[in-house]
Amino acid sequence: MAAMFLAPPSSTALLLRRDPNRAVPSLNLRSNSHKTLSIKSYSASLTQDQLKKLAADKAVEYVKSGMVLGLGTGSTAAFVVSKIGELLKSGELTDIVGIPTSKRTEEQALSLGIPLSILDDHPELDLAIDGADEVDPNLDLVKGRGGALLREKMVEAASDKFVVVVDDMKLVDGLGGSKLAMPVEVVQFCWKYNLVRLQGLFKEQGCEAKLRLNGDGKPYVTDNSNYIVDLYFETPIKDGPGAGKAISDLEGVVEHGLFLNMATAVIVAGKEGVTVKAK
């Protein structure tokens, strides 16, 4: 693999600040417009997993000792958790508390010696880092193909800053544009009733709704003992906030995978390097 060169954060895209009301630093990534920092890696032959790791390593640069962190779920987030574990073991990070977004993230973090807690004890987090299934030009997201959307949304909504880590295959012009699943978590009771109603909401987008199944053909069950109905769109969702509200208004819907106006920054790894997109 070719050598990778990562520049420090741009002063116009990512800034570290100390909040006088907090004991630890937090990220100041908000501004009035999207700003982009491109970091060349000169690694044209990287695999998708290597791209994910490159982006994950960049995201972990913004983790500081003393932080309470939201730990995401999925293949990209697993690289983040692994890196945090390495830095704790080496002593480069200390006094970290992690809030996992799934049972499998909890198991991984514990195996790496990362101290864990829950939202009940830490209702305000300094930073959450997680992957995403889709990212649109407004930095709105589709998440939850790994099945952890409810806990992810709870933890990331409670975080002061939310940094998203993806490879460039996850970039879309509009949410639903990948034609892959946009998940909706529903109660088990009369799940088919809600599947039909969800599909009916998006007839104009050519939506097809399917119950998520395990490899054995049985319904997939979330960490919260619910089912997931996956929505597949022929055309992108035109009105994200409107779609999210319409889905949430259905009785029996627990949560949906539209993460709107939540991301503070998105770190994208591609063949030409790492790009940081910030609001």
Side-chain angles (χ1 to χ4, degrees):
M1 186 191 315
M4 302 174 191
F5 304 94
L6 292 180
S10 163
S11 61
T12 61
L14 292 170
L15 303 174
L16 292 176
R17 65 173 172 81
R18 180 171 294 276
D19 185 332
N21 296 318
R22 286 180 177 265
V24 296
S26 59
L27 294 172
N28 181 10
L29 302 174
R30 298 285 186 188
S31 67
N32 293 327
S33 60
H34 299 323
K35 296 182 179 179
T36 300
L37 166 68
S38 181
I39 305 166
K40 296 295 184 182
S41 66
Y42 307 103
S43 306
S45 61
L46 292 182
T47 66
Q48 189 175 22
D49 276 351
Q50 288 170 328
L51 290 174
K52 290 177 180 179
K53 186 178 186 303
L54 182 64
D57 287 350
K58 184 62 189 173
V60 174
E61 291 183 20
Y62 304 105
V63 178
K64 303 301 176 185
S65 294
M67 280 187 167
V68 180
L69 297 173
L71 304 177
T73 296
S75 59
T76 306
F79 286 119
V80 173
V81 176
S82 178
K83 184 66 174 182
I84 292 170
E86 290 177 14
L87 295 176
L88 281 171
K89 186 176 181 179
S90 69
E92 294 177 67
L93 283 178
T94 59
D95 301 320
I96 293 295
V97 176
I99 311 296
T101 55
S102 67
K103 292 178 180 178
R104 63 182 178 275
T105 297
E106 178 181 2
E107 291 169 357
Q108 182 194 10
L110 288 173
S111 73
L112 296 170
I114 300 174
L116 298 181
S117 188
I118 57 176
L119 280 176
D120 287 344
D121 295 332
H122 293 276
E124 295 183 6
L125 285 66
D126 298 292
L127 171 68
I129 305 175
D130 204 353
D133 300 308
E134 293 183 2
V135 180
D136 77 1
N138 295 320
L139 306 190
D140 287 332
L141 318 170
V142 167
K143 288 178 48 58
R145 288 181 194 150
L149 60 154
L150 175 58
R151 296 191 186 189
E152 286 174 341
K153 190 170 283 189
M154 291 176 69
V155 169
E156 287 147 16
S159 300
D160 185 39
K161 305 296 176 186
F162 174 30
V163 174
V164 179
V165 185
V166 296
D167 61 82
D168 58 4
M169 298 292 289
K170 305 299 173 62
L171 302 180
V172 296
D173 292 331
L175 298 182
S178 69
K179 298 187 179 181
L180 299 176
M182 198 289 282
V184 180
E185 188 163 342
V186 301
V187 297
Q188 293 191 30
F189 176 74
C190 294
W191 62 265
K192 188 178 294 185
Y193 167 71
N194 270 323
L195 182 150
V196 172
R197 293 203 294 170
L198 285 165
Q199 183 164 300
L201 282 178
F202 302 104
K203 285 183 180 179
E204 292 183 2
Q205 280 79 41
C207 176
E208 182 178 7
K210 296 181 180 179
L211 180 68
R212 185 177 297 188
L213 303 176
N214 287 318
D216 59 6
K218 295 180 180 179
Y220 175 90
V221 179
T222 70
D223 286 348
N224 313 292
S225 300
N226 297 313
Y227 286 171
I228 287 182
V229 173
D230 286 320
L231 305 182
Y232 298 84
F233 296 89
E234 279 298 317
T235 59
I237 298 169
K238 297 177 182 178
D239 177 6
K245 183 179 187 307
I247 294 170
S248 295
D249 283 348
L250 296 179
E251 303 82 8
V253 166
V254 180
E255 191 51 84
H256 57 75
L258 296 173
F259 284 52
L260 308 175
N261 197 32
M262 292 182 64
T264 308
V266 177
I267 299 176
V268 184
K271 297 299 184 182
E272 299 302 319
V274 174
T275 298
V276 182
K277 301 177 183 293
K279 288 184 177 180

